[in-house]
Amino acid sequence: MATKSLLKRESELANTQRQLEILSNGIFQSGELPTFASKIKETNQFPLQPKKIEILQINVGYMCNQVCAHCHVDAGPDRKEIMTRETMQQCLDVIEKTGAHTLDLTGGAPEMNPNFRWFVEEASKIGVKDFIVRSNLTIIRANKKYYDLPEFFKKHNVHVVSSMPHWTRGKTDKQRGDGVFDKSIKALQELNAVGYGIPDSHLRLDLVYNPSGAFLPGDQLALEKDFKKALVEDFGIQFHHLFAITNLPISRFLDYLIASDNYEDYMYSLVEAFNPAAVANVMCTNTVSVSWDGWLYDCDFNQMLDLKVASKIKHISEYNEELLQNRNIIISQHCFGCTAGAGSSCQGTVA
């Protein structure tokens, strides 16, 4: 398993333009597979346009204590991109006046941003309906300065959404690195100990499942049932819900698909599983994604491909919700990942 980001390895796929070329050429350029635009034209859903903005998803930095095989952010310890307090303040100014009811903090490991706690404290004062922090769990055990994160999350009523590839050590460590499973189990037990994930508790703990290979996730409810049974029986761990998220063919997962000669087969799987009913509720229709340096994107995946919003409002410092509503969403072939089967978003299935 790679221990460095694509950027650090100087891979050609660290160049987002190269990723977009791969997604536009080959089997799509030849007509062997239809483009995403042509598929949604068939169902009269082109151009894809946003609805009411409900979620502000903020990436506070690409630095992470893990180097996961499927990571679409290409995060890792060697990534130094970190949101400044100035940009955080611009985000806070927007949160106060936006109609969005959900604040979703992500990374990398968002907790590694030196201003993370300040941001959470300030944002919690403003008040949002759902305040999410996407944690990789192992960060809680990575260093003594993070040991109190469960209590910190509880104090600010943070909704913790945590990555957990599988309920077994082998599959988890294969995707995320040696020792990740044991640290994740310990972190989940500590979250349970302060009240997270307990039935009827207001302290929400949800898990995220990504397939460990070149295949689509199974039924979300069935997976949730299997996870709950295994984790409570083996470790006494409880959680609320499981989100099954399809791996999108970008960044390190695209690198894996090409290296393992699975790219074309995987794209065939995504296209064949296209579900027009999922298009209406994909995350880009109700979310604005903010990068560590304040640029605006239709979704987290477009952010990683550097596809900024198709609006004259492109930065958090000039945020205007009315103007942002009046735009077309930028699409490419990676969007098949969000519309395959039951669909996929940061909140799991959508159809």
Side-chain angles (χ1 to χ4, degrees), residues 264-310:
E264 290 194 1
D265 287 346
Y266 191 70
M267 296 311 296
Y268 263 92
S269 297
L270 293 182
V271 174
E272 287 169 0
F274 174 76
N275 179 2
V279 177
N281 295 313
V282 285
M283 62 184 290
C284 54
T285 59
N286 71 344
T287 301
V288 169
S289 172
V290 186
S291 66
W292 66 273
D293 49 356
W295 296 103
L296 305 178
Y297 300 84
D298 297 306
C299 68
D300 192 42
F301 304 113
N302 277 10
Q303 180 184 149
M304 301 314 149
L305 290 169
D306 199 27
L307 297 171
K308 295 182 178 70
V309 289

Side-chain angles (χ1 to χ4, degrees), residues 15-314:
N15 184 329
T16 56
Q17 197 56 45
R18 177 59 184 142
Q19 293 185 52
L20 289 167
E21 286 172 5
I22 292 169
L23 290 167
S24 299
N25 297 333
I27 48 179
F28 292 101
Q29 189 179 47
S30 68
E32 192 174 330
L33 284 180
T35 63
F36 187 73
S38 67
K39 285 297 285 185
I40 63 173
K41 280 177 182 175
E42 289 175 8
T43 53
N44 297 315
Q45 292 170 299
F46 182 88
L48 193 59
Q49 293 179 312
K51 297 176 284 191
K52 179 177 169 53
I53 297 171
E54 298 177 335
I55 303 170
L56 197 65
Q57 187 174 65
I58 301 172
N59 191 312
V60 297
Y62 300 162
M63 186 181 293
C64 190
N65 62 311
Q66 294 181 176
V67 188
C68 301
H70 71 284
C71 183
H72 70 278
V73 181
D74 193 31
D78 56 60
R79 296 301 298 264
K80 307 304 181 188
E81 298 92 336
I82 286 289
M83 182 175 281
T84 64
R85 189 176 286 208
E86 179 186 5
T87 304
M88 286 180 169
Q89 185 59 58
Q90 292 171 346
C91 292
L92 290 169
D93 294 342
V94 166
I95 294 163
E96 277 197 285
K97 62 186 179 184
T98 183
H101 58 62
T102 297
L103 174 60
D104 189 343
L105 299 189
T106 184
E111 301 94 333
M112 292 183 77
N113 184 306
N115 291 306
F116 169 76
R117 295 193 189 221
W118 172 83
F119 191 31
V120 169
E121 287 163 357
E122 292 301 309
S124 65
K125 294 175 187 174
I126 296 166
V128 287
K129 183 179 175 183
D130 192 10
F131 189 172
I132 297 170
V133 170
R134 294 184 182 269
S135 177
N136 66 24
L137 292 176
T138 63
I139 191 67
I140 294 173
R141 303 301 307 164
N143 186 294
K144 286 183 179 179
K145 66 181 178 181
Y146 301 123
Y147 285 1
D148 67 332
L149 278 171
E151 289 286 357
F152 177 78
F153 291 151
K154 178 180 180 178
K155 179 181 177 182
H156 298 287
N157 197 28
V158 167
H159 174 181
V160 179
V161 177
S162 300
S163 306
M164 192 71 184
H166 206 258
W167 61 82
T168 61
R169 183 178 289 104
K171 289 188 176 182
T172 297
D173 286 3
K174 179 183 176 184
Q175 186 184 111
R176 295 189 164 261
D178 291 343
V180 165
F181 181 78
D182 290 339
K183 291 175 184 173
S184 298
I185 291 298
K186 177 68 173 170
L188 285 171
Q189 290 171 334
E190 291 180 359
L191 286 165
N192 275 178
V194 300
Y196 272 98
I198 308 304
D200 301 323
S201 169
H202 71 281
L203 296 171
R204 306 297 297 175
L205 173 62
D206 296 320
L207 301 185
V208 172
Y209 163 81
N210 291 86
S212 57
F215 52 89
L216 306 186
D219 177 74
Q220 181 168 283
L221 285 178
L223 281 166
E224 179 178 295
K225 186 177 178 181
D226 289 343
F227 264 78
K228 284 189 171 182
K229 183 175 184 291
L231 290 177
V232 77
E233 286 181 358
D234 295 345
F235 306 103
I237 289 169
Q238 300 184 84
F239 66 94
H240 289 116
H241 295 293
L242 179 84
F243 301 149
I245 299 182
T246 302
N247 287 318
L248 265 66
I250 64 174
S251 196
R252 287 213 288 268
F253 189 66
L254 178 60
D255 181 56
Y256 157 76
L257 289 174
I258 293 171
S260 61
D261 202 26
N262 278 305
Y263 170 69
E264 290 194 1
D265 287 346
Y266 191 70
M267 296 311 296
Y268 263 92
S269 297
L270 293 182
V271 174
E272 287 169 0
F274 174 76
N275 179 2
V279 177
N281 295 313
V282 285
M283 62 184 290
C284 54
T285 59
N286 71 344
T287 301
V288 169
S289 172
V290 186
S291 66
W292 66 273
D293 49 356
W295 296 103
L296 305 178
Y297 300 84
D298 297 306
C299 68
D300 192 42
F301 304 113
N302 277 10
Q303 180 184 149
M304 301 314 149
L305 290 169
D306 199 27
L307 297 171
K308 295 182 178 70
V309 289
S311 169
K312 65 180 182 180
I313 303 299
K314 292 186 183 295

